Amino acid sequence: MKAHIESLVEYMQYLKELGYEGFPLSSQPQEQKTVPVSIQTDDKKISLENIRLAVEECKKCRLAGMRTHAVPGEGNYNPQLMFIGEAPGYDEDQQGRPFVGRAGRLLTDIIKAMGMTREEVFIANVIKCRPPDNREPMSDEIAACSPYLFRQIDTLQPRLIVTLGRYSTTTILGLQEQTRMSDLRGRFFVFRGVKVMPTYHPAYLLRNEKDKKLVWNDMKLVLQELGRPVPPAKVR
Ligand code: URA
Ligand code: SF4
């Protein structure tokens, strides 16, 4: 043993020689972890953060060169409910957050009318970077980007998914892009064991106010399926 111990590493080495295999790094009592649940939650968090980092660095399609910020998605890591939109618009690209523009405010109102908050659901898009001039996503962009969304769904394991609009619905359900939303909305499908309710996109509702009541009907079915109370309020 050296006469002087000059570093923590040396001190730890010294303790090890004396037979100590390990010791707490702080004097606080170690947190008692209920093993399966906490490990699962930590793993989930790590997976979701890894997806976020991968999206922020991604250059798998042409949209990478045009973005201000990628928009991986945000919300609760143990959500009952997940909303999936199409692609970021101008405001989302500026802020790196999903659904924060005009359509986003309507989605937030819909979530509130359901008696829920943005913080308790997860909100994501099929395409993580803004298409120029808000054009529709191209099929090679959807093919390049959708694996991120599928990994998010597999990790989050929500009880239920609401797909907003045609691109999100047809990507999740593996249908032809031409399929009409009026033929899809209002009933449940299943994707990888998760129930899916297709409904109209909030940006469409801004142009077609009269269809808000159809979306509210769809959201009432979602709340019933989740066993949650159905508030009397309508989406205005
Ligand atoms: N429209 C979308 O589909 N997603 C957003 O994040 C914003 C607008
Ligand atoms: Fe990558 Fe998706 Fe962004 Fe294309 S849109 S660069 S695939 S994250």
Side-chain angles (χ1 to χ4, degrees):
M1 184 58 208
K2 288 169 65 171
H4 299 286
I5 291 173
E6 281 159 9
S7 70
L8 180 61
V9 173
E10 275 186 29
Y11 179 58
M12 289 172 80
Q13 186 64 37
Y14 168 61
L15 285 177
K16 209 168 171 190
E17 279 162 19
L18 291 179
Y20 287 91
E21 284 301 319
F23 56 92
L25 283 175
S26 81
S27 55
Q28 298 297 318
Q30 289 288 288
E31 195 183 321
Q32 285 295 316
K33 289 196 173 173
T34 45
V35 175
V37 174
S38 59
I39 284 183
Q40 193 204 0
T41 310
D42 289 350
D43 281 354
K44 237 176 145 170
K45 191 168 174 228
I46 290 166
S47 296
L48 291 159
E49 293 295 315
N50 281 340
I51 298 168
R52 184 174 62 77
L53 292 173
V55 165
E56 283 169 358
E57 290 174 5
C58 180
K59 294 191 167 53
K60 282 203 292 173
C61 84
R62 65 182 75 74
L63 300 178
M66 310 181 202
R67 70 182 171 222
T68 314
H69 293 106
V71 183
E74 67 182 27
N76 199 295
Y77 284 177
N78 286 298
Q80 273 197 320
L81 186 57
M82 177 175 187
F83 288 89
I84 303 176
E86 182 176 311
Y90 175 82
D91 296 291
E92 291 75 20
D93 176 66
Q94 289 292 310
Q95 296 183 38
R97 298 183 55 208
F99 282 100
V100 290
R102 208 162 148 243
R105 279 194 290 281
L106 180 51
L107 177 62
T108 306
D109 286 347
I110 293 171
I111 293 170
K112 281 191 197 149
M114 295 171 79
M116 302 179 91
T117 63
R118 277 179 72 112
E119 291 71 34
E120 71 180 297
V121 303
F122 197 91
I123 305 176
N125 287 304
V126 175
I127 297 282
K128 310 297 193 192
C129 306
R130 182 191 181 209
D133 302 320
N134 299 343
R135 67 152 166 74
E136 298 191 337
M138 295 182 179
S139 49
D140 62 334
E141 293 159 359
I142 294 176
C145 208
S146 54
Y148 293 122
L149 175 67
F150 296 151
R151 276 173 61 198
Q152 287 174 317
I153 295 170
D154 286 346
T155 312
L156 289 162
Q157 294 189 298
R159 284 264 313 277
L160 213 151
I161 291 172
V162 172
T163 52
L164 302 164
R166 199 154 50 95
Y167 283 95
S168 148
T169 305
T170 56
T171 302
I172 293 298
L173 301 182
L175 301 169
Q176 299 273 335
E177 267 168 31
Q178 302 84 289
T179 319
R180 290 153 54 96
M181 276 311 293
S182 55
D183 294 333
L184 295 172
R185 61 148 286 275
R187 58 203 165 101
F188 289 109
F189 294 79
V190 177
F191 171 74
R192 300 197 195 187
V194 183
K195 286 217 169 79
V196 178
M197 170 63 79
T199 199
Y200 289 123
H201 193 288
Y204 164 89
L205 291 183
L206 291 173
R207 302 186 303 267
N208 298 272
E209 293 244 336
K210 65 173 189 347
D211 283 343
K212 282 185 179 174
K213 61 178 184 302
L214 297 176
V215 170
W216 183 240
N217 284 341
D218 300 346
M219 295 307 102
K220 285 199 280 196
L221 293 174
V222 165
L223 290 169
Q224 275 161 14
E225 189 63 35
L226 292 175
R228 296 181 67 106
V230 178
K234 280 215 208 127
V235 182
R236 289 181 302 278

